[in-house]
Amino acid sequence: MEPFRFTLRQLQHFIAAAEAGTVTAAAADASISQAAMSQSLSELERAVGQQLMVRTRSQGIQLTSAGRRFLSNARDMVGRAADVQQEMADRSGRLIGPLDLGCYTAVAPFWVPFIAQRFIQPHPDVSVRIVEGDGKELQQEMLDGRFDAVITHTAHLVEGVDHDVIRRGRGYALVPPSHRLASRETVAVAEFGDDPFVLLDVPAVRETQIPKLRAAGLEPNIQWRSSSFEAVRGLVGRGLGWSVLVQRPPVDVSYDGLPVVPVPLSDFEPSDICLAHVRERRSRRLQELIDLCRAEGARLDEEYPPSRAPEG
């Protein structure tokens, strides 16, 4: 049998370089010198017999067409190697290997700290990397092999992914205490009429929330926009408008100390929080994380019934 011409370590370096965009950043991520990273990448190109990337000072690393094809294969080989390593570790009951997660920015404050404490710390042999961003974009990168799973909303799922729900969503209107509907137990979307609306301005929300509001008989009067969840809450707290959210912190107070009032919506179908993944890449590491998050979601639902539930 002909010996392999490249190593898993070289594949890991190539993946790191493709994702980081520069040799310097990739070397820092891999905790090696820039010279060692450059040498590893050059040796890999010689081993495969093709130029995989073009390096320039102005644009950093640009993958060639061969490099883009090879990147997908490299991720697959490294992932399979990690699974083999995990199978060997299963005999001792340990979790081991890499786990790359994407997390939709709006849900990150509710789940990343929990995962850090309850999953990352208890499993030091699992190398967890979490990247925040737009839920749909992260899923597309997951389909290309960059992530093992993405924490997002079910309404943001893209074609070709599986998912496990980890927390049921509860859509609500957020209003200032002075709003005419603040004292209501529930409210219909159309009752807000032409009231100024504060939009959580990220692509996944624009593409799902606005159509739902229109289907409920309301054309939102968008006066304010922000991609920050807490900025939206702050704008509402200052009486500048109302908003529709799914995540709910335990305290109904904005960052600047102003009260906000959540009012359940009677005719707005919320999306659930889920872990999106590709079935073929569902490792034991990922399954353990899914089970842990589902248990936490069930605990929160039991501890905080819908009438008073702070969303997480």
Side-chain angles (χ1 to χ4, degrees):
M1 181 181 296
E2 183 178 354
F4 290 111
R5 297 178 181 177
F6 52 80
T7 67
L8 283 173
R9 181 66 66 189
Q10 289 170 339
L11 295 180
Q12 289 177 310
H13 290 167
F14 174 64
I15 294 169
E19 293 179 351
T22 67
V23 173
T24 301
D29 290 342
S31 300
I32 62 174
S33 69
Q34 182 175 340
M37 175 61 72
S38 294
Q39 180 179 354
S40 178
L41 295 174
S42 296
E43 290 176 351
L44 177 62
E45 288 183 315
R46 285 196 294 271
V48 300
Q50 295 190 59
Q51 184 178 12
L52 302 176
M53 57 184 65
V54 177
R55 299 170 230 181
T56 65
R57 289 185 178 181
S58 60
Q59 296 182 329
I61 290 174
Q62 299 292 318
L63 295 184
T64 63
S65 58
R68 288 191 293 271
R69 292 193 298 271
F70 188 75
L71 178 60
S72 177
N73 291 329
R75 284 171 171 159
D76 185 60
M77 285 186 280
V78 170
R80 290 180 181 275
D83 291 340
V84 171
Q85 184 175 245
Q86 179 63 68
E87 289 177 12
M88 299 300 293
D90 281 349
R91 299 178 182 179
S92 64
R94 292 186 302 132
L95 291 180
I96 189 170
L99 187 63
D100 293 332
L101 302 175
C103 187
Y104 171 43
T105 302
V107 306
F110 299 90
W111 287 98
V112 171
F114 167 77
I115 292 171
Q117 181 190 37
R118 296 289 302 280
F119 185 82
I120 296 177
Q121 282 196 333
H123 303 294
D125 293 325
V126 179
S127 177
V128 180
R129 181 177 64 103
I130 303 177
V131 176
E132 297 179 23
D134 176 75
K136 289 189 175 182
E137 292 179 358
L138 292 170
Q139 289 175 78
Q140 292 295 345
E141 293 184 71
M142 177 181 70
L143 291 173
D144 290 336
R146 184 178 181 187
F147 299 111
D148 297 291
V150 174
I151 305 172
T152 187
H153 283 282
T154 52
H156 304 169
L157 293 172
V158 302
E159 186 177 356
V161 306
D162 288 335
H163 73 280
D164 287 83
V165 172
I166 58 176
R167 186 83 199 276
R168 295 297 176 185
R170 299 187 180 101
Y172 63 93
L174 191 70
V175 300
S178 59
H179 195 277
R180 68 183 187 285
L181 300 174
S183 61
R184 293 275 294 277
E185 291 188 5
T186 62
V187 63
V189 166
E191 293 183 72
F192 285 95
D194 199 43
D195 291 358
F197 186 74
V198 184
L199 176 66
L200 179 58
D201 196 12
V202 295
V205 170
R206 290 196 303 269
E207 295 168 7
T208 57
Q209 186 181 102
I210 301 302
K212 286 183 179 181
L213 294 176
R214 289 171 177 161
L218 178 75
E219 182 63 40
N221 178 20
I222 302 172
Q223 295 293 312
W224 308 94
R225 300 170 181 262
S226 177
S227 60
S228 165
F229 178 82
E230 285 300 335
V232 168
R233 297 178 80 248
L235 289 164
V236 172
R238 290 188 176 273
L240 298 175
W242 70 287
S243 189
V244 174
L245 299 171
V246 175
Q247 310 305 306
R248 182 178 166 193
V251 180
D252 294 322
V253 178
S254 67
Y255 267 6
D256 47 2
L258 297 174
V260 291
V261 180
V263 183
L265 291 168
S266 61
D267 55 352
F268 183 86
E269 185 70 24
S271 59
D272 298 325
I273 312 301
C274 68
L275 265 163
H277 55 86
V278 178
R279 183 175 299 276
E280 293 78 10
R281 304 178 203 151
R282 188 165 174 152
S283 64
R284 184 190 158 204
R285 299 180 297 283
L286 177 57
Q287 185 60 58
E288 292 279 347
L289 177 64
I290 291 172
D291 292 343
L292 181 68
C293 290
R294 292 178 68 178
E296 175 66 3
R299 183 192 70 79
L300 291 170
D301 283 338
E302 181 177 353
E303 184 173 349
Y304 302 106
S307 61
R308 61 185 180 88
E311 289 290 332

